[in-house]
Amino acid sequence: MLKAFELIRPSNLAEALAAVASGATPLAGGTDLLVRMKKGMLAPKKIVDLSGLKELSEIKEDEENIILGSLVTHGDVVDSELTNNYLPLLVQGCRTVGSPQIRNTGTLGGNIVNASPAADSVPPLVALGAKVVLSSVNGEREMKLQEFLAGPGKTLKRPDELLTSIVVKKMKPEERCLYRKLGQRKSLAISIASVAVKFGFDPETKKCSNPGVAFGAVGPVVRRAVELERLLEQKKLDQQAIKEIASKAREFCDPISDIRASAEYRREMCCSLLYEALYELTC
Ligand SMILES: Cc1cc2nc3c(=O)[nH]c(=O)nc-3n(C[C@H](O)[C@H](O)[C@H](O)COP(=O)(O)OP(=O)(O)OC[C@H]3O[C@@H](n4cnc5c(N)ncnc54)[C@H](O)[C@@H]3O)c2cc1C
């Protein structure tokens, strides 16, 4: 049973920031937070409900970037013309989250701050080099999402901060991308391993440009595989090169064994997922 708590319903961002500064725990969609509270893992005394803040629920663009408010839901990402046009990799990741109910309730901000290594919006965002914007009563700061993630369930967010938006460079129309997730079943499954890949590709020369690769659920945090990206840029991506690069994926994994899979299986699946992704994107 839930323990009693004070609920604050701010009418604007300034009120929400004042509430977190006074020690209130942020509530967005509640699909992670309320589960933990029901299980007795958390018992916040004060909660600030962000769900009414329209200013954090928008998807906007400027010349170079798509700016996603932290309250944008996975369903919003799947449905938005802007994300479908400019961030198809993120759309693919969000489409695999939970069920329609979870996608329409769970937010990008909650998915990021919850900091699960298996979060499905995060590998696409990390592969795309996304930045997070953190706000407090004292102002704003911005950092790379990859650096923000500090460990399972841990981020560099200070208790008095809210994640207010996520800034992602627009993908180029010619860039190809794929998010691959392995779960114990096809839907409503937490990732055993996942990979997000994007790059520009010239089918004539089989050379790739501007690659981004990130793995989920195979280490303490979602991790960008910069060394694999370098190999992708160096090699002519024929069958042989794809096999070689995919087999190196195990070197970038540091998985654990848990109820879903053994560490060794995860390591192997990392290579298979990357092989499948590279094969589909280049053939
Ligand atoms: C049945 C089920 C299936 C699921 N399946 C998947 C899945 O397939 N893939 C997946 O990735 N996830 C899955 N999840 C997890 C969850 O739905 C997502 O992580 C979701 O995006 C969390 O967002 P939320 O808005 O519900 O976060 P909340 O539960 O509201 O918050 C999560 C955490 O983030 C903090 N927080 C939220 N917003 C902010 C903010 N703006 N600033 C600062 N802190 C903030 C909260 O205080 C809390 O600690 C599943 C959950 C359930 C219950």
Side-chain angles (χ1 to χ4, degrees):
M1 205 174 68
L2 286 183
K3 295 232 167 81
F5 55 84
E6 180 192 343
L7 182 65
I8 302 167
R9 287 219 163 98
S11 48
N12 55 47
L13 180 58
E15 284 179 23
L17 293 175
V20 281
S22 76
T25 298
L27 169 75
T31 59
D32 280 316
L33 184 66
L34 293 178
V35 173
R36 287 182 180 208
M37 287 170 65
K38 281 183 186 164
K39 285 184 178 165
M41 294 157 72
L42 285 173
K45 297 221 158 42
K46 222 179 347 177
I47 287 186
V48 52
D49 177 6
L50 307 176
S51 62
L53 300 179
K54 294 271 174 289
E55 59 264 62
L56 300 186
S57 307
E58 289 172 345
I59 303 179
K60 296 187 278 195
E61 67 174 327
D62 64 20
E63 211 167 304
E64 286 193 346
N65 304 299
I66 298 295
I67 302 119
L68 302 134
S70 59
L71 291 184
V72 165
T73 65
H74 303 288
D76 294 333
V77 172
V78 170
D79 291 343
S80 149
E81 209 179 311
L82 279 179
T83 46
N84 277 279
N85 285 343
Y86 295 113
L87 302 177
L89 182 59
L90 180 61
V91 173
Q92 290 183 34
C94 289
R95 198 174 273 134
T96 71
V97 172
S99 58
Q101 292 91 333
I102 295 293
R103 287 196 288 279
N104 290 332
T105 313
T107 63
L108 286 182
N111 204 219
I112 292 171
V113 175
N114 192 52
S116 161
D120 286 304
S121 72
V122 179
L125 289 170
V126 168
L128 292 166
K131 292 181 184 158
V132 289
V133 178
L134 300 156
S135 305
S136 74
V137 288
N138 299 315
E140 236 180 50
R141 62 185 180 125
E142 193 180 275
M143 73 173 79
K144 282 204 153 177
L145 171 58
Q146 173 75 103
E147 288 154 20
F148 179 65
L149 302 167
K154 287 190 199 140
T155 68
L156 297 187
K157 188 185 81 61
R158 295 194 307 256
D160 67 334
E161 284 179 320
L162 284 177
L163 195 167
T164 40
S165 60
I166 303 118
V167 181
V168 199
K169 275 224 159 68
K170 289 176 179 173
M171 289 176 67
K172 300 194 176 81
E174 68 274 15
E175 282 184 327
R176 302 175 177 197
C177 64
L178 210 127
Y179 179 66
R180 263 287 143 86
K181 161 178 175 175
L182 176 72
Q184 284 177 318
R185 54 189 177 211
K186 290 234 157 86
S187 70
L188 206 55
I190 303 294
S191 284
I192 288 171
S194 64
V195 66
V197 185
K198 69 106 194 174
F199 48 67
F201 185 67
D202 179 345
E204 296 290 311
T205 61
K206 292 201 172 285
K207 295 291 281 181
C208 98
S209 56
N210 202 20
V213 179
F215 291 105
V218 289
V221 292
V222 170
R223 185 168 159 215
R224 189 160 177 177
V226 182
E227 298 87 343
L228 285 180
E229 293 175 2
R230 221 169 280 140
L231 282 178
L232 283 170
E233 260 179 326
Q234 283 164 2
K235 304 235 174 194
K236 184 177 162 190
L237 294 183
D238 54 21
Q239 285 291 319
Q240 186 56 28
I242 288 172
K243 258 193 198 153
E244 268 173 41
I245 295 170
S247 71
K248 288 190 187 301
R250 60 170 60 76
E251 295 167 26
F252 301 95
C253 307
D254 184 16
I256 54 163
S257 296
D258 64 12
I259 49 158
R260 277 183 278 281
S262 69
E264 196 39 45
Y265 180 69
R266 283 195 155 101
R267 217 172 263 121
E268 289 308 313
M269 288 305 103
C270 240
C271 301
S272 299
L273 290 176
L274 183 59
Y275 178 76
E276 277 180 23
L278 294 178
Y279 184 84
E280 271 189 40
L281 292 174
T282 59
C283 290

